């Protein structure tokens, strides 16, 4: 949005058409010279389709603590001000979001420091829907990882390994948190031994779940968090639409936030297939 005063300033400082073309020609010559010295980049290939793995963030989206964690306030409206603007207030770990290593470490990597090259990666999806339907406290185990590898081959280098427990079908009901009378929650997550296996035997960058936490619901010690994040890995929680993807072959793009010193934050996840 530009104020009229700013626009006039820009007009006054703008280059003439002649100067613009003269500068463009010089810049083009410099680019051509550097291109001759550098290897040609691989041309990007368009994906057949893109799948949104992100939930829409709303006031009543389920949260780990059961309380509202997303708030928005209309500050300007088109009816009154001829433009719309909202003020947002949100807990970093709300909705579809990323955990940075700093979330469970003392002085670990913050969200603005996570290497961007790790945020575009192969996606390997481990399907545990059948056992999650039978037991909400089901976990991704080393046996599940071994079965995936036996069927699909080695986990791709630099991948994010995601749990598909089919939990999206519960997102609009209390069963997404699935708290019992003692307020203990029951939903699937990664077993710590599976996390250790990924750290020791696979060169992966991230872990993801379609539930509220990478630790399963009844966890009282967050052992998977304390094992995974201090190893300088990131995690994504509350993934959506995993049923629309193959077990292997998709590329995950994590649109992570970048606020200084952040422990994580809501993100836009896109899978390219």
């Amino acid at each position: 949005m530009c104020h009229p005063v700013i626009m006039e300033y820009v007009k006054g400082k703008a280059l003439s058409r002649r100067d613009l073309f003269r500068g463009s020609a010089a810049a083009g010559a410099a680019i051509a010279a550097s291109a001759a010295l550098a290897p040609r980049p691989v041309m990007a290939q368009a994906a057949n389709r893109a799948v949104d793995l992100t939930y829409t963030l709303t006031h009543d989206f389920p949260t780990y603590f059961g309380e509202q964690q997303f708030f928005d306030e209309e500050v300007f409206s088109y009816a009154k001000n001829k433009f719309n603007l909202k003020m947002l207030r949100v807990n970093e770990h709300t909705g579809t979001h990323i955990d940075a290593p700093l979330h469970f470490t003392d002085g670990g990597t913050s969200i603005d420091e996570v290497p961007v090259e790790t945020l575009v990666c192969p996606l390997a999806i481990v399907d545990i829907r059948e056992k999650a339907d039978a037991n909400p406290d089901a976990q991704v185990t080393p046996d599940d990882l071994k079965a995936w590898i036996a069927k699909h081959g080695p986990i791709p280098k630099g991948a994010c390994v995601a749990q598909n427990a089919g939990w999206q079908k519960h997102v609009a009901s209390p069963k997404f948190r699935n708290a019992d009378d003692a307020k203990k929650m029951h939903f699937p997550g990664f077993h710590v031994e599976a996390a250790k296996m990924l750290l020791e035997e696979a060169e992966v960058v991230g872990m993801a779940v379609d539930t509220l936490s990478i630790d399963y619901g009844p966890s009282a010690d967050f052992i998977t968090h304390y094992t995974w994040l201090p190893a300088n890995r990131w995690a994504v929680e509350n993934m959506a639409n995993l049923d629309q993807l193959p077990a292997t072959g998709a590329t995950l793009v994590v649109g992570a936030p970048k606020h200084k010193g952040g422990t994580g934050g809501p993100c836009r996840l896109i899978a390219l297939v």
Side-chain angles (χ1 to χ4, degrees):
M1 184 177 68
C2 295
H3 192 279
V5 174
I6 298 176
M7 295 177 67
E8 290 301 319
Y9 175 81
V10 172
K11 289 179 182 179
K13 294 293 184 179
L15 294 172
S16 68
R17 179 179 291 270
R18 181 178 300 172
D19 290 338
L20 179 61
F21 283 126
R22 185 183 296 122
S24 297
I31 293 171
S34 63
L37 298 174
R40 291 180 179 271
V42 176
M43 295 298 290
Q45 299 297 317
N48 291 325
R49 62 190 176 103
V51 178
D52 192 350
L53 306 181
T54 319
Y55 284 109
T56 298
L57 198 53
T58 59
H59 293 173
D60 58 354
F61 190 87
T63 65
Y64 189 88
F65 297 108
E67 300 174 351
Q68 181 179 345
Q69 294 181 179
F70 170 70
F71 305 84
D72 62 338
E73 176 189 356
E74 184 182 78
V75 180
F76 295 96
S77 70
Y78 192 85
K80 294 180 180 179
N81 311 102
K82 296 303 180 184
F83 66 94
N84 296 306
L85 186 150
K86 288 185 176 182
M87 182 72 72
L88 304 181
R89 178 164 62 90
V90 59
N91 180 305
E92 289 175 313
H93 302 274
T94 305
T96 303
H97 68 275
I98 185 172
D99 289 1
L102 181 59
H103 186 35
F104 272 74
T105 59
D106 182 11
T109 301
S110 59
I111 193 60
D112 55 304
E113 298 170 334
V114 172
V116 69
E117 58 268 22
T118 72
L119 299 175
V120 180
C121 59
L123 182 61
I125 302 174
V126 180
D127 190 336
I128 63 164
R129 286 176 291 180
E130 185 174 345
K131 69 178 187 178
D133 283 343
N135 177 14
D137 292 336
Q139 298 182 75
V140 176
T141 65
D143 285 343
D144 294 313
L145 298 179
K146 291 173 184 176
W148 191 97
I149 293 169
K151 184 175 182 179
H152 303 289
I155 295 172
K157 181 179 179 180
C160 171
V161 178
Q163 161 201 283
N164 181 9
W167 220 244
Q168 180 168 350
K169 63 178 175 284
H170 303 307
V171 72
S173 75
K175 192 169 181 180
F176 197 74
R177 296 183 74 250
N178 205 20
D180 59 25
D181 292 340
K183 297 185 178 180
K184 180 181 290 186
M185 292 179 288
H186 299 274
F187 54 74
F190 272 83
H191 194 282
V192 64
E193 293 302 324
K196 290 178 180 178
M197 179 178 169
L198 290 175
L199 291 175
E200 295 168 1
E201 302 181 24
E203 297 181 64
V204 300
V205 296
M207 173 188 289
V209 292
D210 58 343
T211 55
L212 283 164
S213 173
I214 59 173
D215 279 281
Y216 79 140
S219 174
D221 56 10
F222 297 101
I223 188 60
T224 300
H225 275 87
Y226 280 115
T227 299
W228 188 253
L229 296 178
N232 208 29
R233 305 300 201 274
W234 49 260
V236 166
E237 295 163 335
N238 296 321
M239 256 188 165
N241 297 326
L242 288 173
D243 291 352
Q244 299 182 27
L245 297 174
T248 184
T251 297
L252 177 65
V253 181
V254 183
K258 196 178 179 182
H259 51 290
K260 187 173 180 61
T263 70
C267 57
R268 190 70 178 264
L269 304 180
I270 300 170
L272 305 177
V273 187

